Amino acid sequence: MTALVCFVLLLSLVSGSHAWRCQEGPTLNRATQIDASKGQVFASNVYNQNFFLNGVYWTYLHGPQRMKHITTGDTGTWGVSTKNQLYKMIGGNFTRVPGLSLSQVDAGGDGLLVGSTGSRAYCLRTAYARAFKGAGSVSWSALPAYSLKYYSCGLYGCWGVDTIGRVFHTRAVNPNSCSQTGWQYINSGSLKMKMVEAASNGLVFGLSTNGKVYLRAGIYASRTQGTAWSNIPMCVAMRHLSYDLGRLWVVSNAGMIMFCMH
């Protein structure tokens, strides 16, 4: 399906004042992953090349290291290489962070850096994450949670997806100690999630294993787990998503980037 046809279908799928309206984003050849935070947008493609959005164009991040996953937030910009090695961007270059091997990392929480090895979740305290400037090592805290393959934190706590697609939520992880309030299983019916992204404004989005996009409804400060998953119609299956400043960024299985607003 072409980008134009997809764009037309997306507009035809939505109606009403609260609908999400999507359009094609800046073109990036065969995108695979995207992360947006504090007005910045980073993306990776199938060749594990990395880019930064500058206006309506993607700027290639030159350097010897290629990241399959990038995240940016309060503690800086971080990446995971094809060898599952962790890097932090320092002086415009990705610098190796010795220690734990990770398959996914998230810097979206309030001073938190969290990640997963693919089966176990970890947290890096704010002091360690912000202080790392290229020398020495950092000390991760293993979280006594379920076998989480994807982990994300936002305004109202953290969310995780385990290796069989179940969703879990904790109201808070302390950025100074990595202590947590305990994990709650989120009954999602027959839905199996690939990832859940928690945004800095409290919104939470899920991406199912069959490429459908969902918004977690009913989230408030007093009910941080929400009440149900609400589908956001898309014309094609998606493989990744991120949210920042009113824009939901999505990457299709074919590698097309779109953004949606409501």
Side-chain angles (χ1 to χ4, degrees):
M1 182 178 292
T2 67
L4 178 59
V5 172
C6 186
F7 172 54
V8 171
L9 284 176
L10 280 169
L11 290 182
S12 67
L13 282 169
V14 296
S15 62
S17 59
H18 299 291
W20 288 84
R21 298 186 178 276
C22 304
Q23 65 184 72
E24 184 181 1
T27 300
L28 179 62
N29 186 35
R30 302 184 70 182
T32 55
Q33 184 256 340
I34 195 163
D35 191 85
S37 178
K38 299 184 181 303
Q40 300 184 88
V41 185
F42 290 85
S44 302
N45 66 10
V46 71
Y47 310 106
N48 297 309
Q49 296 171 321
N50 312 121
F51 301 84
F52 170 77
L53 186 59
N54 184 7
V56 295
Y57 300 101
W58 293 101
T59 299
Y60 178 59
L61 299 177
H62 294 272
Q65 304 300 333
R66 293 188 176 187
M67 304 296 136
K68 65 177 182 180
H69 185 99
I70 294 180
T71 182
T72 188
D74 284 346
T75 57
T77 300
W78 304 73
V80 173
S81 73
T82 55
K83 297 180 179 180
N84 289 340
Q85 295 174 331
L86 180 66
Y87 288 80
K88 183 179 183 180
M89 184 173 285
I90 300 172
N93 297 302
F94 279 113
T95 302
R96 175 83 167 91
V97 182
L100 193 65
S101 295
L102 296 168
S103 59
Q104 177 260 335
V105 67
D106 183 83
D110 183 17
L112 274 175
L113 183 70
V114 298
S116 170
T117 61
S119 61
R120 191 170 186 184
Y122 288 84
C123 169
L124 185 62
R125 285 180 280 176
T126 299
Y128 290 136
R130 289 179 173 165
F132 184 78
K133 296 179 175 62
S137 60
V138 297
S139 178
W140 291 85
S141 300
L143 297 181
Y146 302 87
S147 299
L148 301 182
K149 66 179 180 180
Y150 201 95
Y151 191 11
S152 177
C153 296
L155 179 63
Y156 297 133
C158 299
W159 294 72
V161 178
D162 73 3
T163 53
I164 59 173
R166 296 180 301 178
V167 178
F168 297 85
H169 169 67
T170 179
R171 291 177 63 92
V173 176
N174 189 310
N176 298 312
S177 65
C178 284
S179 62
Q180 57 188 318
T181 57
W183 290 86
Q184 174 186 359
Y185 168 66
I186 303 298
N187 190 340
S188 304
S190 61
L191 275 179
K192 297 296 182 182
M193 292 295 186
K194 175 182 179 181
M195 61 180 288
V196 172
E197 279 284 312
S200 60
N201 68 343
L203 292 181
V204 174
F205 298 88
L207 179 63
S208 68
T209 53
N210 62 354
K212 293 185 178 180
V213 177
Y214 294 86
L215 170 68
R216 186 68 180 173
I219 291 180
Y220 302 99
S222 60
R223 188 175 58 198
T224 60
Q225 75 275 15
T227 55
W229 293 106
S230 176
N231 178 241
I232 300 175
M234 298 283 164
C235 61
V236 293
M238 298 298 165
R239 64 184 302 165
H240 209 273
L241 59 79
S242 186
Y243 179 88
D244 181 51
L245 298 177
R247 292 193 176 196
L248 172 63
W249 296 87
V250 290
V251 179
S252 74
N253 283 347
M256 181 177 68
I257 293 176
M258 294 181 288
F259 65 87
C260 307
M261 304 177 69
H262 73 100

